[in-house]
């Protein structure tokens, strides 16, 4: 169980990177053009639907298309190993935060063009759908990382501790969100008063893109840490996994026999 903890801990910063989708991205959406028609506009918080849809579609495409294709190359029934799947998720997450930074630069450039930098409540003439790519990339990252993380914790943990190992993922989510809150607090406190990266009132005068670049840099360091841990990690022996599966099958057969005996009695 202890040997899994370094790889388990690497998933914390992925949650930290995606935690801003429920805060700063919503603030960005409020300043952008959200109209679908003259009278219909998208609520800012509803933009997260693109993340959810990407995850739903991504899981299906992964199982139906990616796994059979990867199987031809790797001969692995799962297409790629759970550690490889997590690694892909880390890389996609880095691209997601980089895209977030570029979109913020674009949003502020349009605000400057129309002299709206000092009007935090004004609607900047840029479509809110500019935010969709980062939502989709975070969704793709979770398809690879979250599922791979859960698969790793379940398969590689001792049989008697599988429920505990799976619960570790929930702890990862909690710690990741706390780390995100701590990081925002530190950046807000130490990024200065004149050009604070994360201002309280006017996001247009902030430097949110610098925060996204900071998150990207931290994720790169985390990716290097993960690659080192994955390189030295030793998978649970196949014989042990096979014995566990046989034991589970025997327990199921015993329970089935007991159930049939009760019915006959």
């Amino acid at each position: 169980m202890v040997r899994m903890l370094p790889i388990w801990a690497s998933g914390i910063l992925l949650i930290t990177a995606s935690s801003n989708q429920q805060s700063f991205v919503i603030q960005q959406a409020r300043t952008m053009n959200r109209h679908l028609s003259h009278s219909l506009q998208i609520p800012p918080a509803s933009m997260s639907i693109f993340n959810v849809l990407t995850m739903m579609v991504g899981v299906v495409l992964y199982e139906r298309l990616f796994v059979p294709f990867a199987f031809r190359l790797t001969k692995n029934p799962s297409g790629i190993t759970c550690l490889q799947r997590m690694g892909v998720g880390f890389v996609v997450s880095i691209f997601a935060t980089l895209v977030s930074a570029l979109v913020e630069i674009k949003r502020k450039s349009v605000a400057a063009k129309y002299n709206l930098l000092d009007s935090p409540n004004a609607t900047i003439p840029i479509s809110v759908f500019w935010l969709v790519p980062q939502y989709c990339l975070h969704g793709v990252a979770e398809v690879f990382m979250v599922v791979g993380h859960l698969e790793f914790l379940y398969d590689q943990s001792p049989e008697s501790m599988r429920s505990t190992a799976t619960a570790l993922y929930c702890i990862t989510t909690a710690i990741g969100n706390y780390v995100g809150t701590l990081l925002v607090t530190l950046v807000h406190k130490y990024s200065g008063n004149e050009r604070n990266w994360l201002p309280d009132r006017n996001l247009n005068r902030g430097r949110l893109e610098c925060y996204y670049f900071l998150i990207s840099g931290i994720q790169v360091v985390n990716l290097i840490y993960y690659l080192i841990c994955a390189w030295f990690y030793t998978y649970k022996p196949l014989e042990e996994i096979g014995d566990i599966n046989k034991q589970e099958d025997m327990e199921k057969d015993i329970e089935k026999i007991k159930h049939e005996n009760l019915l006959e009695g």
Side-chain angles (χ1 to χ4, degrees):
M1 186 72 178
V2 176
R3 66 194 178 91
M4 298 166 52
L5 292 180
I7 292 193
W8 162 80
S10 65
I12 293 174
L13 288 179
L14 183 87
I15 304 298
T16 300
S18 60
S19 63
N20 59 71
Q21 293 183 83
Q22 307 303 324
S23 54
F24 298 121
V25 181
I26 294 177
Q27 293 183 41
Q28 290 174 283
R30 286 176 177 171
T31 68
M32 303 170 78
N33 181 12
R34 295 178 279 114
H35 285 277
L36 293 177
S37 65
H38 181 71
S39 59
L40 179 64
Q41 63 178 358
I42 304 174
S46 297
M47 293 296 294
S48 60
I49 188 64
F50 292 103
N51 179 278
V52 177
L53 289 176
T54 302
M55 289 183 63
M56 293 173 61
V57 175
V59 169
V60 175
L61 293 179
Y62 182 90
E63 295 295 333
R64 298 295 183 181
L65 298 180
F66 180 80
V67 171
F69 174 77
F71 174 74
R72 297 177 182 177
L73 302 176
T74 64
K75 305 305 179 183
N76 188 321
S78 300
I80 55 178
T81 66
C82 53
L83 291 181
Q84 291 171 335
R85 186 169 184 172
M86 291 171 64
V88 173
F90 282 125
V91 173
V92 176
S93 181
I94 294 172
F95 280 108
T97 48
L98 288 174
V99 169
S100 300
L102 297 177
V103 170
E104 173 62 6
I105 293 173
K106 174 65 177 179
R107 187 190 70 85
K108 285 173 43 176
S109 67
V110 175
K113 179 180 178 181
Y114 290 91
N115 298 317
L116 296 175
L117 289 177
D118 295 313
S119 303
N121 297 322
T123 299
I124 301 172
I126 179 174
S127 174
V128 73
F129 291 105
W130 276 82
L131 299 174
V132 172
Q134 66 194 64
Y135 274 110
C136 292
L137 284 173
H138 278 297
V140 172
E142 291 179 16
V143 167
F144 281 91
M145 174 59 195
V146 174
V147 180
H149 203 177
L150 287 169
E151 181 183 353
F152 169 77
L153 292 172
Y154 185 81
D155 288 346
Q156 296 299 306
S157 60
E159 182 189 6
S160 60
M161 300 186 69
R162 280 184 171 177
S163 58
T164 303
T166 306
L168 282 175
Y169 178 76
C170 298
I171 299 176
T172 304
T173 303
I175 297 176
N177 283 304
Y178 276 118
V179 172
T181 302
L182 176 62
L183 187 61
V184 168
T185 302
L186 293 175
V187 169
H188 180 73
K189 182 178 181 179
Y190 294 107
S191 59
N193 295 324
E194 294 183 2
R195 289 297 306 278
N196 195 285
W197 289 10
L198 308 172
D200 292 323
R201 298 182 179 179
N202 188 359
L203 192 64
N204 297 335
R205 286 297 182 182
R207 304 183 68 181
L208 181 58
E209 68 279 4
C210 293
Y211 173 77
Y212 285 135
F213 284 132
L214 174 64
I215 291 291
S216 300
I218 292 175
Q219 287 192 96
V220 170
V221 175
N222 185 57
L223 175 61
I224 296 173
Y225 161 78
Y226 169 78
L227 291 175
I228 294 174
C229 293
W231 179 265
F232 289 102
Y233 182 80
T234 303
Y235 281 97
K236 181 191 295 185
L238 293 176
E239 293 80 3
E240 183 179 346
I241 297 176
D243 292 340
I244 290 173
N245 292 335
K246 290 179 181 179
Q247 184 176 354
E248 290 178 348
D249 293 338
M250 289 177 62
E251 290 176 353
K252 290 180 181 178
D253 291 338
I254 293 172
E255 291 295 328
K256 184 178 179 181
I257 293 172
K258 288 181 178 179
H259 181 69
E260 291 176 351
N261 290 337
L262 288 174
L263 292 177
E264 291 177 357

